[in-house]
Amino acid sequence: MERPMIATRAGGMPEVVIDGETGLLVPVRDPQALAAAILRLMDDPDYARALGRAGRARMLEQHTIQRTIDGVIDAYREVARERSLRWPAFEGGHTRRTHAA
């Protein structure tokens, strides 16, 4: 689905939604800004479609399950390295797999 996203500038949302490129970001607890964002997308369906396409492309590229798994493994490797732990599962790069999107 290629739907435009409107999100608040809270938590990890600004990492996922790039304001004006992959969706719209509004301030937290600002119903007027949220309403304005909704109306903007309703008034400009071409812009809404463009945001939806760009957002989907970004999600498929940046936020896959494999990237999440790789990030967790990298975090464990870093902790193991900082604590001078030797754990074969975290040594080398053989645990990573690549998948075509």
Side-chain angles (χ1 to χ4, degrees):
M1 291 183 113
E2 295 178 346
R3 300 280 187 248
M5 181 180 274
I6 301 171
T8 58
R9 288 185 171 92
M13 293 314 298
E15 294 174 22
V16 176
V17 178
I18 300 171
D19 192 34
E21 292 181 32
T22 63
L24 299 176
L25 291 172
V26 298
V28 175
R29 296 184 183 151
D30 188 340
Q32 289 83 14
L34 177 59
I38 293 168
L39 290 174
R40 181 175 180 194
L41 296 182
M42 290 177 66
D43 289 343
D44 191 346
D46 291 335
Y47 181 57
R49 276 190 292 279
L51 290 178
R53 279 191 300 274
R56 183 172 193 274
R58 180 170 169 78
M59 289 303 293
L60 290 174
E61 178 184 313
Q62 298 291 322
H63 300 280
T64 64
I65 189 66
Q66 190 59 50
R67 285 184 73 108
T68 301
I69 291 167
D70 291 344
V72 170
I73 290 171
D74 287 344
Y76 278 112
R77 280 191 182 123
E78 184 177 335
V79 170
R81 200 171 23 254
E82 288 172 358
R83 296 182 182 188
S84 300
L85 300 175
R86 293 189 46 83
W87 198 352
F90 298 121
E91 294 174 4
H94 66 278
T95 57
R96 285 187 183 229
R97 289 181 277 165
T98 58
H99 296 280

